């Protein structure tokens, strides 16, 4: 499978303080990958750099075959709009828009035809089981429904990669499980690449791969392989214990 993310000697410093240190990593098309690590390990910085929210100070990053060093500001903004989706812990929904309008907003801004928007809307809302709340406003739905709405908005553009920043952090256990199951199913159906930062072992166990960071570098990786979610959870827990509790 081709790589959607590739980094070589990726480094990031704030002043004289190094945060990311010579990271070499690849994420293949269709992977569902978690990044874990303790506070200060660099996982949020890595997410911000890979999603072009922040700039790196050394090395190189390729996204969907394009080197970020080759993209000027306008091209980078267009790449972000067309090839990336974002799911945030606090949903980032617009309160004055309905669920349907929030989901369709990225396509509306890019002036997609109504027929194509409705086709994509029907498919994504069915997969995430939110067809019955399309006419409601964010204030009228639960946290789990808000996060599934945000997930639909992120994926409706059919991006090369979706970045998810602690997507279950504000959810109760039932809503978190529903979201993770639906993201895993959607990942399998659409082969959308998902890169998720999380501190939660349970959330990470729904991924097919976990990358562990510590002190700005990759210190371990796990692949689920043929294991189910429960068995992969146990492996992540065991690895975390051996590594000294590097994730909560």
């Amino acid at each position: 499978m081709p790589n959607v993310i590739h980094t070589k000697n990726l480094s990031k410093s704030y002043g004289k303080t190094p945060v990311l240190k010579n990271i070499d990593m690849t994420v293949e098309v269709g992977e569902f990958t978690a990044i874990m690590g303790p506070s200060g390990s660099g996982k949020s910085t890595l997410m911000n750099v890979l999603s072009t929210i922040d700039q790196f100070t050394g090395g190189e990053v390729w996204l969907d075959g394009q080197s970020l060093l080759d993209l000027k500001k306008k091209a980078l903004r267009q790449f972000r709009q067309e090839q990336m989706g974002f799911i945030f812990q606090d949903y980032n929904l617009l309160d004055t828009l309905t669920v349907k309008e929030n989901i369709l907003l990225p396509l509306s801004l890019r002036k997609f035809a109504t027929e194509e928007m409705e086709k994509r809307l029907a498919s994504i809302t069915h997969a995430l089981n939110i067809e019955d709340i399309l006419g409601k406003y964010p204030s009228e739905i639960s946290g789990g429904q808000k996060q599934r709405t945000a997930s639909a908005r992120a994926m409706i553009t059919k991006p090369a990669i979706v970045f998810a920043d602690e997507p279950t952090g504000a959810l109760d256990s039932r809503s978190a499980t529903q979201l993770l199951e639906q993201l895993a199913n959607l990942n399998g159906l659409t082969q959308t690449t998902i890169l998720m930062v999380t501190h939660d072992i349970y959330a990470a166990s729904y991924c097919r791969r976990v990358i562990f960071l510590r002190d700005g570098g990759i210190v371990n990786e796990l692949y689920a392989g043929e294991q189910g979610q429960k068995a992969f959870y146990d492996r992540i827990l065991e690895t975390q214990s051996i590594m000294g509790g590097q994730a909560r």
Side-chain angles (χ1 to χ4, degrees):
M1 295 289 287
N3 297 324
V4 69
I5 294 176
H6 176 58
T7 74
K8 183 177 181 181
N9 296 324
L10 175 63
S11 300
K12 171 66 178 178
S13 298
Y14 292 104
K16 295 182 179 180
T17 304
V19 181
L20 300 177
K21 305 171 185 175
N22 300 317
I23 290 179
D24 294 332
M25 65 176 284
T26 59
V27 178
E28 293 184 352
V29 171
E31 276 198 270
F32 189 0
T33 301
I35 299 174
M36 301 189 73
S39 178
S41 63
K43 61 183 185 296
S44 294
T45 301
L46 179 59
M47 171 77 82
N48 289 340
V49 166
L50 295 179
S51 62
T52 74
I53 292 173
D54 202 354
Q55 295 181 327
F56 51 97
T57 51
E60 195 160 3
V61 178
W62 292 266
L63 295 180
D64 203 25
Q66 294 225 44
S67 171
L68 295 189
L69 294 176
D70 295 336
L71 294 178
K72 303 300 182 183
K73 187 176 293 186
K74 182 178 179 180
L76 190 61
R77 183 171 63 249
Q78 182 177 1
F79 185 86
R80 187 186 300 121
Q81 291 173 345
E82 296 180 359
Q83 300 298 328
M84 298 181 188
F86 298 88
I87 306 172
F88 302 98
Q89 182 176 338
D90 58 358
Y91 320 126
N92 278 18
L93 300 177
L94 296 179
D95 293 333
T96 56
L97 300 183
T98 65
V99 166
K100 178 179 179 178
E101 290 167 341
N102 266 286
I103 295 171
L104 289 178
L105 184 60
L107 299 184
S108 298
L109 293 174
R110 290 167 57 188
K111 303 187 186 305
F112 270 63
T114 301
E115 183 179 355
E116 177 64 18
M117 289 197 293
E118 292 292 339
K119 179 181 177 181
R120 293 193 185 191
L121 179 74
S123 176
I124 199 76
T125 54
H126 175 72
L128 289 168
N129 194 26
I130 51 174
E131 297 162 294
D132 59 341
I133 63 168
L134 291 179
K136 295 185 177 182
Y137 290 87
S139 62
E140 300 173 319
I141 61 178
S142 69
Q145 290 170 326
K146 288 178 183 178
Q147 197 57 293
R148 280 181 277 161
T149 299
S151 300
R153 181 186 57 191
M155 293 189 172
I156 199 167
T157 59
K158 298 182 179 179
I161 184 166
V162 169
F163 294 95
D165 187 5
E166 300 281 7
T168 62
L171 303 181
D172 59 52
S173 59
R174 181 173 177 272
S175 296
T177 297
Q178 289 179 337
L179 175 68
L180 291 165
E181 288 177 347
Q182 287 159 343
L183 284 179
N185 288 337
L186 203 56
N187 167 255
L189 286 171
T190 65
Q191 287 296 291
T192 298
T193 307
I194 304 175
L195 187 65
M196 177 174 69
V197 163
T198 184
H199 69 270
D200 185 3
I201 298 171
Y202 182 71
S205 69
Y206 278 84
C207 299
R208 307 311 299 164
R209 176 188 177 199
V210 179
I211 298 172
F212 295 91
L213 292 188
R214 185 166 56 201
D215 298 328
I218 296 175
V219 292
N220 206 343
E221 294 185 51
L222 290 180
Y223 288 84
E226 298 302 316
Q227 289 182 312
Q229 179 262 328
K230 178 60 171 66
F232 196 37
Y233 173 93
D234 291 338
R235 280 185 65 205
I236 298 169
L237 183 63
E238 179 183 12
T239 300
Q240 170 193 309
S241 177
I242 292 171
M243 294 174 63
Q246 77 149 339
R248 289 188 283 126

